[in-house]
Amino acid sequence: MAMMMKLNGSVGIGGNNIRPDVVAVQTLLAQRGQRPGAADGICGPKTIGAIRAFQATFLRMPDGLISVNGPTWQRLTGSGGGAGVGGALGPAGSGLGPLGPVGSGLGKLPGAQVPLPPKDGNMTTPVARPPANTFNVGLKAVSNQMMKSMFGMPRDSFTQDCQPMNNAALKRNVVTDNVGSFKATGLRPAVASLKQVYGEIAGALPQLAPRIGTAGMLCCRLQRRSKTAVSNHSWGTAIDLTINGVLDKYGDGKVQYGLTLIAPIFNRHGWYWGAAFGTEDGMHFEASVELANKIKAQLS
Ligand SMILES: [Zn+2]
């Protein structure tokens, strides 16, 4: 079987996902013993899961994305450092051979485990929270003090309930806009970023994207179970997501499977995932220090 051994674009979460590239990746993944689903050229959750599972055999931080001629592609084609598969795939079944030199020593770290699709394949099924070093990569969580000094307080007093924002300078930057499958109200640059994130999700995970909804973005209130800490929803820089209308259960240390697929895309855009909080909050994404700075720079 003649098969191109070059990708025209990246494949996976947030990738270009050009159909023949996706077919090639799906075929190679299957030959490596992964389960990407049918080689249909559509980069859905099964294919993403298979990419991450394959990456977990040699990467500490599987990102679900295969870049053109990057390490994952080289491992997949056996072209990484002389594994000798060369320019052709050879007969079916031969692909289970050596993965190439395992010099990295990272292959069997506990941290290399990533959630695999649950048996029922359901996006809302809770799975173990991924290892801490595999998400929020390169991001720092904001503190209340930092938010206060960057943006000012959204209002004077807070309770556990949503109350209106009454900081006029902030308020004039609040918009409600269509993010894709849902509307969100928050600071304009934050909502604009969400639209970019959603666009990537729609490209990489077309079956999941329309199932995503929200349980709220702007909401001036205290953090759950706190009498003093102000929620980042108060600034309109945090959002709670639903899948099929279902909220992830708060604080159980598990997260909906679908959230594990979209978290890397949020990560790349500077959104810090609440799965990392002491009390796991898997439905929650908020602007990190890095994104908060960008938002601040774009306020009027
Ligand atoms: Zn939240």
Side-chain angles (χ1 to χ4, degrees):
M1 174 169 62
M3 175 164 293
M4 63 170 185
M5 294 307 286
K6 244 181 124 90
L7 287 177
N8 298 296
S10 53
V11 172
I13 296 177
N16 304 112
N17 295 322
I18 302 163
R19 204 152 182 162
D21 288 343
V22 177
V23 170
V25 165
Q26 288 168 326
T27 305
L28 289 163
L29 282 169
Q31 293 186 352
R32 298 292 188 189
Q34 302 296 337
R35 294 182 183 175
D40 56 4
I42 297 167
C43 192
K46 278 189 181 172
T47 302
I48 302 271
I51 292 171
R52 293 180 70 175
F54 178 69
Q55 288 178 323
T57 63
F58 62 94
L59 282 181
R60 280 186 68 188
M61 292 187 229
D63 60 2
L65 181 66
I66 302 176
S67 47
V68 177
N69 224 14
T72 305
W73 178 247
Q74 293 189 7
R75 292 268 174 162
L76 212 43
T77 56
S79 58
V85 176
L89 281 176
S94 70
L96 290 173
L99 285 177
V102 185
S104 69
L106 296 172
K108 295 297 174 195
L109 283 184
Q113 296 300 317
V114 293
L116 297 173
K119 285 203 174 72
D120 61 10
N122 197 320
M123 289 292 161
T124 59
T125 298
V127 297
R129 169 169 51 181
N133 61 358
T134 63
F135 62 95
N136 293 331
V137 177
L139 301 181
K140 286 190 290 291
V142 295
S143 66
N144 270 189
Q145 194 51 47
M146 184 179 302
M147 291 300 283
K148 184 182 172 183
S149 62
M150 284 179 77
F151 298 103
M153 288 309 279
R155 56 176 291 114
D156 300 327
S157 63
F158 296 86
T159 67
Q160 283 287 335
D161 300 314
C162 284
Q163 296 187 81
M165 178 184 270
N166 55 22
N167 175 327
L170 270 183
K171 211 171 160 181
R172 68 165 181 263
N173 285 283
V174 170
V175 297
T176 299
D177 204 350
N178 221 322
V179 167
S181 52
F182 58 90
K183 282 186 170 182
T185 299
L187 287 184
R188 188 188 311 100
V191 174
S193 172
L194 285 178
K195 290 172 80 163
Q196 290 186 347
V197 170
Y198 188 88
E200 285 193 23
I201 294 171
L205 301 158
Q207 286 124 331
L208 174 57
R211 298 165 185 271
I212 301 173
T214 183
M217 190 175 183
L218 176 62
C219 167
C220 298
R221 61 165 170 82
L222 294 171
Q223 288 175 17
R224 279 194 261 193
R225 300 176 190 177
S226 172
K227 292 193 167 78
T228 53
V230 176
S231 163
N232 287 315
H233 287 284
S234 307
W235 283 273
T237 60
I239 189 159
D240 292 334
L241 298 180
T242 59
I243 299 177
N244 290 339
V246 180
L247 279 174
D248 184 68
K249 192 175 172 195
Y250 179 63
D252 66 352
K254 294 181 178 178
V255 293
Q256 291 172 333
Y257 175 59
L259 294 170
T260 69
L261 301 179
I262 63 176
I265 299 176
F266 276 92
N267 194 152
R268 276 206 299 285
H269 288 267
W271 290 87
Y272 192 93
W273 189 21
F277 295 162
T279 306
E280 165 273 316
D281 194 1
M283 74 178 80
H284 175 100
F285 290 86
E286 65 180 37
S288 64
V289 171
E290 292 76 12
L291 179 57
N293 278 307
K294 287 186 194 169
I295 291 170
K296 165 76 178 167
Q298 292 173 45
L299 293 187
S300 60

